[in-house]
Amino acid sequence: MCRRKKEIENVQIIVGEYSDSGTQNILFSQKWDCIIDLLWHNEKKFHNTYEKLVNQTNHYISFSTAAVYADNKNPIKEDLLRFWDETKSEEEYYHLQKARMENIIFNSNYTHWTIVRPHVTFNVNRIPLDTWEQDVWLYRFIQGKYIVLSNMMLEKMTSFTYGDNVARLLECIVASGSDSFRQVYNVCSDDKLRWGEVVDLISASIKKITGKQLKLKILDEKSKYGKLEEMLPHKADRLKYDRFLDRVLDNSKVKNLYGDCGFTILSDDIYNCLNKRINEFNDRIQYGDVLSIAYMDYVCNERTALKDIAGKKNKLKYLFLRYFINYGFALHVLMLIKKLRTSCRW
């Protein structure tokens, strides 16, 4: 879907999905001063997409991710090694795919591009709690259920940033024109804190808004079900190559473009986003992330109503994972079935 945002004087803003024909019709009908590409493209198709977009604008800005960085000494500057630089791996992990997409831009003949690398950003529609996305953990809170967290992750550092502050930095980059061409920037605010501190800020906001406490179950990584990367294979690469590492980004390079960026206060941003989201939240949403739901229910001896799980297959998966005598073994069986089905396809 493509939509025209409210016009600012002498500024025309179009927001849309690249795959939408309406978006493409407008996008390729004229040349744009700037295109900000936030999509995670199919890597194999990205080269062609990049060529089209970069030729349609005077300034192409590509969103990458701080997850591309290897386990470097903090604070992390833009010129430090990426995981791909160390391994040259062609594996399909998110951080490696993003690095290879960066390589396409680096190796192109164009000069009017900029790459930005945020870490964890949040807004009213997305406030991650540790590894859990907002709809999963907020649903469990509203239902009075426990939320499982890893003690190891709580000690790790993050550059947790409000989306509006990232937007302010993008304004600086766009305004800088050619000074930001062929450059990479970490885009984050000045807040550097441990995940445990993020959880504390979210908990305090929840308490202030609702009068209730988050029910947290902290697991030791050495406990039977504490190795999240094994219990949640669909999150394994994010955990191993990002959340389980300290991610303190150095934002001095992007700040040098403009100086005072007018960052807002993190605790206020979290409170305001949660206050609005809780008032709008629909706890009757059907969820598809069966592994996360079944895992937390199994560990905490809780249950999720089948009506809250999307699709018959997901309902069956949930029942198998949640009520089988051993979650770990049940998960192993499901992963084996998935592998066999993949290998047997024509």
Side-chain angles (χ1 to χ4, degrees):
M1 183 178 70
C2 177
R3 66 185 188 275
R4 293 176 184 267
K5 297 195 73 174
K6 185 177 179 180
E7 300 291 334
I8 305 171
E9 187 177 359
N10 298 322
V11 177
Q12 184 181 22
I13 302 174
I14 301 295
V15 179
E17 294 287 345
Y18 180 75
S19 59
D20 179 75
S21 59
T23 300
Q24 293 194 23
N25 289 338
I26 296 174
L27 187 62
F28 296 117
S29 67
Q30 64 187 81
K31 191 150 187 174
W32 299 87
D33 292 314
C34 181
I35 291 178
I36 301 176
D37 187 0
L38 294 91
L39 299 180
W40 178 18
H41 297 277
N42 181 309
E43 182 191 345
K44 295 178 180 178
K45 297 180 180 178
F46 176 66
H47 193 285
N48 184 48
T49 303
Y50 167 65
E51 290 271 350
K52 289 181 178 178
L53 292 177
V54 77
N55 278 308
Q56 208 63 33
T57 182
N58 297 323
H59 191 176
Y60 173 79
I61 300 177
S62 177
F63 260 73
S64 185
T65 171
V68 300
Y69 290 117
D71 189 8
N72 295 296
K73 183 178 179 180
N74 289 277
I76 300 172
K77 292 181 176 291
E78 289 86 349
D79 58 355
L80 292 182
L81 285 176
R82 303 170 300 167
F83 279 113
W84 186 88
D85 299 319
E86 294 183 340
T87 65
K88 302 297 189 291
S89 173
E90 294 301 313
E91 291 181 287
E92 296 299 311
Y93 291 141
Y94 174 72
H95 64 286
L96 293 173
Q97 290 192 56
K98 276 292 191 179
R100 292 194 293 268
M101 288 166 64
E102 289 185 353
N103 292 346
I104 291 172
I105 298 174
F106 291 149
N107 296 327
S108 72
N109 294 323
Y110 302 100
T111 61
H112 57 290
W113 55 260
T114 304
I115 293 174
V116 296
R117 294 173 180 159
H119 187 218
V120 181
T121 59
F122 70 93
N123 58 28
V124 68
N125 294 313
R126 179 183 184 256
I127 304 180
L129 180 70
D130 210 352
T131 189
W132 309 115
E133 289 300 329
Q134 178 176 265
D135 283 350
V136 172
W137 71 259
L138 193 52
Y139 165 84
R140 294 187 69 82
F141 164 73
I142 290 174
Q143 294 290 323
K145 297 180 179 181
Y146 278 92
I147 300 161
V148 176
L149 300 176
S150 163
N151 69 331
M152 182 172 75
M153 193 183 304
L154 295 178
E155 293 301 314
K156 298 302 179 182
M157 300 293 293
T158 177
S159 298
F160 198 69
T161 302
Y162 183 37
D164 283 18
N165 287 330
V166 172
R168 287 182 175 87
L169 294 174
L170 286 175
E171 288 178 10
C172 297
I173 291 170
V174 172
S176 70
S178 60
D179 289 343
S180 60
F181 288 176
R182 295 188 65 85
Q183 297 294 323
V184 178
Y185 295 102
N186 293 331
V187 287
C188 62
S189 62
D190 296 329
D191 297 296
K192 311 293 185 288
L193 61 169
R194 299 187 187 279
W195 270 108
E197 295 174 288
V198 174
V199 173
D200 288 343
L201 288 173
I202 291 175
S203 298
S205 293
I206 289 285
K207 174 70 173 177
K208 187 175 180 181
I209 295 166
T210 68
K212 299 177 182 179
Q213 293 280 8
L214 283 180
K215 295 169 65 176
L216 304 176
K217 187 178 182 68
I218 312 299
L219 294 184
D220 189 294
E221 61 170 316
K222 297 179 181 178
S223 65
K224 185 175 182 180
Y225 295 106
K227 291 186 178 299
L228 296 189
E229 69 274 25
E230 295 179 4
M231 297 296 102
L232 302 166
H234 63 309
K235 293 179 178 287
D237 62 322
R238 178 189 295 184
L239 293 167
K240 183 177 179 180
Y241 298 108
D242 186 53
R243 295 293 203 268
F244 286 166
L245 303 176
D246 287 319
R247 294 300 198 187
V248 177
L249 302 184
D250 185 322
N251 65 355
S252 59
K253 181 178 177 181
V254 69
K255 287 173 66 176
N256 285 339
L257 288 175
Y258 195 77
D260 182 13
C261 296
F263 292 136
T264 51
I265 299 172
L266 181 61
S267 58
D268 291 346
D269 296 331
I270 290 175
Y271 173 83
N272 291 332
C273 287
L274 278 173
N275 190 38
K276 184 175 182 181
R277 183 60 177 151
I278 287 173
N279 289 329
E280 297 175 347
F281 190 76
N282 177 7
D283 65 351
R284 299 300 295 275
I285 294 174
Q286 289 192 315
Y287 296 96
D289 188 0
V290 179
L291 290 185
S292 297
I293 296 168
Y295 168 72
M296 284 197 276
D297 278 353
Y298 185 91
V299 169
C300 301
N301 195 27
E302 295 174 328
R303 294 164 178 78
T304 293
L306 292 182
K307 63 181 175 57
D308 291 340
I309 298 174
K312 292 181 180 179
K313 288 184 179 180
N314 282 334
K315 286 179 171 63
L316 291 173
K317 285 181 182 178
Y318 172 80
L319 291 171
F320 183 59
L321 289 166
R322 170 61 186 88
Y323 294 104
F324 198 80
I325 193 169
N326 182 294
Y327 172 88
F329 181 74
L331 177 65
H332 176 74
V333 171
L334 282 181
M335 293 300 103
L336 181 60
I337 292 172
K338 182 179 179 181
K339 185 179 294 185
L340 288 173
R341 289 182 63 185
T342 302
S343 63
C344 292
R345 286 176 183 167
W346 290 93

